[in-house]
Amino acid sequence: VSQHMIEHLYYYEEFIPLISEMARVLEDNGEVWLSCPDLEKVVVSYQNYKCTDLISDRLERFPDAFIPEPSQHFINILFHQEGSHKNLYDFDMLEYAAIKGGFSTVERGSWKEFLLNFPEFPKRGDDHQSIYVRISK
């Protein structure tokens, strides 16, 4: 399980080798769950709402969160996060990396589905801005 960590990795230099190593060590019936900010959702939000929907979601989950002005500047927060974000991913990028790394099945998930499998994890409630995927061999 990796929640909101892979966006902090360089795609070719770090993420592809990591996913390859995950495929190598994963048992035959095992799964890998990944979540991160969803590039597609961020772009749609920017195009349709100038990020105001993402801001509302953030404030609902974190009432004291810093919110930049104007609203479209929020996209820079998601892309950069003070230099710690290296990439945002959409489903196609995650699927490409997983298959390149040795996996054969990549499916979209949701945080609710994730919690059914891993109830001990914190309830992020972040489907509005995140992508969840389940990958297996």
Side-chain angles (χ1 to χ4, degrees):
V1 172
S2 171
Q3 283 191 301
H4 283 259
M5 187 280 297
I6 61 173
E7 66 273 17
H8 299 271
L9 303 176
Y10 290 105
Y11 190 68
Y12 294 108
E13 300 88 346
E14 297 173 322
F15 181 57
I16 298 290
L18 174 64
I19 204 101
S20 297
E21 183 65 7
M22 288 176 175
R24 186 185 75 76
V25 301
L26 189 69
E27 294 181 8
D28 289 339
N29 60 350
E31 296 181 326
V32 173
W33 279 80
L34 303 173
S35 73
C36 62
D38 186 340
L39 175 61
E40 182 178 354
K41 290 177 181 177
V42 172
V43 169
V44 167
S45 171
Y46 175 78
Q47 289 177 326
N48 294 337
Y49 309 107
K50 301 293 186 214
C51 298
T52 57
D53 60 328
L54 293 176
I55 290 170
S56 294
D57 174 66
R58 174 72 56 96
L59 288 172
E60 186 176 309
R61 292 182 298 118
F62 306 104
D64 296 329
F66 169 73
I67 303 301
E69 292 182 4
S71 64
Q72 51 273 52
H73 183 48
F74 190 70
I75 199 168
N76 291 316
I77 302 289
L78 292 172
F79 273 104
H80 299 293
Q81 194 173 354
E82 299 177 359
S84 68
H85 282 176
K86 308 300 184 231
N87 290 285
L88 293 188
Y89 298 93
D90 65 1
F91 181 80
D92 293 338
M93 285 180 72
L94 292 171
E95 181 179 49
Y96 173 84
I99 290 170
K100 184 171 180 63
F103 290 95
S104 60
T105 303
V106 184
E107 300 172 298
R108 289 181 190 268
S110 69
W111 77 272
K112 288 180 183 179
E113 184 181 7
F114 172 80
L115 284 177
L116 288 175
N117 290 287
F118 305 99
E120 69 276 11
F121 275 77
K123 294 172 177 63
R124 294 180 61 99
D126 60 355
D127 263 347
H128 195 77
Q129 61 105 26
S130 296
I131 184 170
Y132 283 77
V133 297
R134 179 180 52 243
I135 59 179
S136 57
K137 295 182 189 179

